[in-house]
Amino acid sequence: MNWGMLGHEWAVQMLRQHVAHQTQRHAYLFIGPQGVGRRTLALHLAQALNCPQPTAPGEACGGCKSCKQMERMSHPDLAILQAEQVGGTLKVDQIRALQHNLSLSPYSAAYRVAILLRFEEANPNAANALLKTLEEPPSRVILVLTAESSERLMPTIVSRCEVLRLRPLPLDVLDQGLQTLWGVPPQKATLIAHLSNGRPGYALSLHNDPDLLVKRSTWLDDQRLLLNASIVERFAYAEDMVKDRETMRGAFAVWLSFWRDVMLCASGTSTPLSNLDRVEEIKNLTSHLDLASVQRTVSTLERTFDLLERNVNPRLTVEVLMLDLPRH
């Protein structure tokens, strides 16, 4: 009765009531960190709106053709819009193509549903173009936007949406849910619950795609070697890294998570660590580096992320990071 989701019961209950009483809004905005379940919740809403044989008011059956197509994101009345890659740009031409699609009557469903993922990546022209649709929404159309933060969106966009803020789950709840609902072995469930920082979507990605954990391990091993490497070796690594933007973002996200753990350990806080399988390595670093040095490294990685998001010269940005990484 929670749309098959782990957590976010309050959001499911609210949306279920909207569908059951036909009081659904023409536009929703799901706010929260990537991997928290924004897209999954949006797809379940699309199913509930359009299931021809609901098992209860606001409750999709999950097994009919419409529900299956929505789940696979292949339904003719479902549009998924996003930038070509994470950290990319959602462009105005994409919005205009969507608007043409939404101007048509639903093909087979009760509503056309458009899910606009990571809408903070929309450029100003794209955001302004969508604003016109939000101000004068077509009938039988439901828009669902997702974003990490409402502060990164135009206030006029936010004000025209029903905003739902999704937060990470308690680690023990996610740990137990992974074991109970998806049969994840206990040790692995505990690790990925911590690595995901309570984000069920990201935790399931780590479980279902073994390559993600392999890449993470490789990036952490690379970083350990870089801490003992010469400047020449670090620059050679940087030159290779900037060839693939997605790899670069992924590696920096893993490194930042690791150094935040080092900072937590160095400060003596009781906050749970994310990288449980690297505790000895984390403790070793805290015995050689003072808290101020660790904080500088965290700040450096955060600044690097910000510069890359703003499309500052990636090679120069990464080379500066290599100069600033501590030596161990």
Side-chain angles (χ1 to χ4, degrees):
M1 292 295 291
N2 196 47
W3 284 358
M5 296 191 67
L6 177 59
H8 312 313
E9 290 86 356
W10 66 271
V12 172
Q13 177 64 15
M14 176 189 293
L15 295 172
R16 183 193 291 116
Q17 290 299 316
H18 286 183
V19 176
H21 298 294
Q22 297 186 346
T23 56
Q24 62 270 2
R25 315 303 188 245
H26 72 275
Y28 292 91
L29 172 59
F30 296 167
I31 295 291
Q34 287 191 37
V36 79
R38 302 171 307 186
R39 183 180 65 175
T40 300
L41 183 61
L43 289 172
H44 283 303
L45 173 60
Q47 287 178 318
L49 285 165
N50 289 311
C51 180
Q53 48 193 40
T55 57
E59 194 73 34
C61 73
C64 68
K65 180 180 178 181
S66 174
C67 286
K68 290 294 186 182
Q69 287 181 322
M70 290 290 180
E71 182 181 11
R72 295 193 302 267
M73 297 183 286
S74 61
H75 196 287
D77 291 316
L78 174 68
I80 307 290
L81 207 64
Q82 60 186 324
E84 291 183 1
Q85 60 183 9
V86 176
T89 302
L90 182 65
K91 301 175 181 177
V92 67
D93 289 346
Q94 294 174 269
I95 298 295
R96 288 172 178 159
L98 174 68
Q99 288 170 325
H100 172 73
N101 180 278
L102 298 180
S103 69
L104 306 174
S105 298
Y107 178 74
S108 61
Y111 295 92
R112 282 191 178 271
V113 179
I115 302 175
L116 294 89
L117 302 172
R118 308 190 310 273
F119 197 72
E120 68 271 18
E121 296 175 352
N123 65 26
N125 288 338
N128 280 313
L130 184 72
L131 185 58
K132 296 177 181 178
T133 299
L134 291 173
E135 290 172 341
E136 300 177 7
S139 62
R140 302 175 68 187
V141 166
I142 306 294
L143 297 171
V144 183
L145 284 63
T146 76
E148 290 200 2
S149 168
S150 59
E151 286 72 27
R152 297 180 63 184
L153 304 180
M154 292 168 50
T156 45
I157 293 281
V158 178
S159 67
R160 285 164 174 77
C161 300
E162 177 89 6
V163 180
L164 280 71
R165 301 182 186 277
L166 307 182
R167 293 177 173 81
L169 308 185
L171 297 182
D172 59 337
V173 172
L174 178 54
D175 185 346
Q176 190 59 47
L178 290 168
Q179 296 180 53
T180 304
L181 297 178
W182 290 284
V184 181
Q187 186 174 359
K188 183 179 181 183
T190 299
L191 174 61
I192 63 178
H194 281 254
L195 289 177
S196 67
N197 293 313
R199 296 170 292 164
Y202 184 45
L204 284 173
S205 295
L206 291 171
H207 172 58
N208 293 325
D209 186 355
D211 283 348
L212 292 177
L213 289 175
V214 171
K215 288 178 181 178
R216 167 185 169 271
S217 183
T218 299
W219 290 328
L220 288 174
D221 290 343
D222 287 348
Q223 179 196 235
R224 186 177 63 247
L225 295 175
L226 285 170
L227 296 181
N228 294 292
S230 67
I231 292 299
V232 172
E233 291 170 323
R234 290 185 177 193
F235 275 24
Y237 187 87
E239 182 179 4
D240 187 59
M241 174 177 267
V242 297
K243 295 176 183 177
D244 186 334
R245 183 181 178 88
E246 286 300 303
T247 295
M248 186 167 54
R249 285 176 53 87
F252 290 162
V254 167
W255 292 1
L256 182 55
S257 170
F258 176 86
W259 280 100
R260 283 173 174 165
D261 278 352
V262 177
M263 185 170 65
L264 290 173
C265 190
S267 64
T269 180
S270 59
T271 303
L273 302 182
S274 297
N275 298 273
L276 294 182
D277 56 342
R278 299 278 175 156
V279 170
E280 290 305 314
E281 190 176 336
I282 290 166
K283 289 181 177 178
N284 185 37
L285 281 170
T286 58
S287 67
H288 290 82
L289 298 171
D290 59 27
L291 180 57
S293 297
V294 175
Q295 289 173 327
R296 282 196 297 272
T297 302
V298 171
S299 296
T300 297
L301 281 163
E302 289 175 337
R303 183 175 67 252
T304 300
F305 243 117
D306 180 61
L307 291 172
L308 292 174
E309 290 295 306
R310 292 192 279 122
N311 293 317
V312 175
N313 186 308
R315 179 164 180 172
L316 178 60
T317 300
V318 178
E319 286 180 349
V320 170
L321 170 64
M322 293 298 158
L323 289 172
D324 289 343
L325 280 177
R327 295 193 171 279
H328 173 56

